Amino acid sequence: MTVEEFEEFYAQAVARLTGQLYVMTGDLQEAQDVVQEAFVKAWVRRGRLERDGQPEAWIRTVAWRLAVSRWRFRRRSADAWGRGSGVADHVAPPDPDHVVLVDALRELPAQQRRTLTLHYLCDLTVEQIAGETGLSASTIKTHLVRGRVALAHRLQDPRMEEAPDV
């Protein structure tokens, strides 16, 4: 089958095959996808399709098998999610202290937040942070100091009062 013959076959058969697969699958988008994929596979085998004499039947069969494979994959995925999701029926609410900390971190300038994260969560040294960010060690130290001060200010508990001088 020449390129022109294949193009002509495609133009004549694609709508019909898509309609057939739509009826078989009940999903127009799925039918369009599997028919297109079957035509891609047919392109490589166009010489054999002509010899076999039933290219439309071959494409319909391949498209149907692709649809079934996709359906099985989705079904197995859904079953796996249902079985192994590991999600508890009840999820405890976040710790209020955690929520306050996250909100306070969000209020910091991005570079201070990044520096504090790299230092305290990733356990990087000032020199390692400087190497990763391209900033000088003194700038990293400045970000750390300013970030800690800003966090301390934001995390102050307004219910706590200073103890009176005795």
Side-chain angles (χ1 to χ4, degrees):
M1 190 180 287
T2 66
V3 172
E4 292 80 18
E5 291 171 334
F6 188 85
E7 288 174 350
E8 183 179 331
F9 165 64
Y10 174 85
Q12 292 174 356
V14 69
R16 182 173 47 252
L17 287 165
T18 301
Q20 293 166 357
L21 268 292
Y22 174 46
V23 172
M24 291 180 194
T25 63
D27 183 339
L28 180 59
Q29 182 66 46
E30 183 72 7
Q32 291 169 333
D33 288 348
V34 295
V35 168
Q36 287 302 314
E37 193 171 339
F39 267 105
V40 169
K41 291 178 183 291
W43 172 258
V44 177
R45 295 171 179 83
R46 64 185 187 274
R48 278 186 262 156
L49 289 177
E50 187 176 48
R51 283 192 302 269
D52 294 343
Q54 297 182 334
E56 193 168 327
W58 187 90
I59 290 175
R60 185 175 34 258
T61 301
V62 169
W64 172 248
R65 288 178 181 162
L66 288 167
V68 169
S69 293
R70 289 177 173 199
W71 177 81
R72 286 180 179 154
F73 176 77
R74 284 191 297 271
R75 177 66 186 222
R76 283 192 309 268
S77 297
D79 289 348
W81 275 103
R83 278 192 320 268
S85 66
V87 175
D89 291 336
H90 173 71
V91 176
D95 180 4
D97 291 338
H98 178 80
V99 173
V100 170
L101 177 60
V102 169
D103 286 343
L105 283 167
R106 283 185 181 147
E107 293 177 16
L108 294 179
Q111 194 58 51
Q112 285 179 10
R113 187 172 54 247
R114 180 180 183 202
T115 303
L116 288 169
T117 302
L118 291 172
H119 187 69
Y120 291 106
L121 294 180
C122 300
D123 203 28
L124 297 182
T125 65
V126 170
E127 291 75 23
Q128 289 171 321
I129 297 169
E132 187 169 318
T133 61
L135 301 172
S136 69
S138 62
T139 302
I140 298 301
K141 290 176 186 177
T142 302
H143 285 309
L144 286 172
V145 169
R146 289 180 182 167
R148 283 191 294 254
V149 169
L151 276 180
H153 177 70
R154 286 177 174 84
L155 295 176
Q156 261 183 334
D157 191 344
R159 298 172 294 181
M160 300 294 288
E161 296 179 18
E162 289 187 32
D165 290 333
V166 182

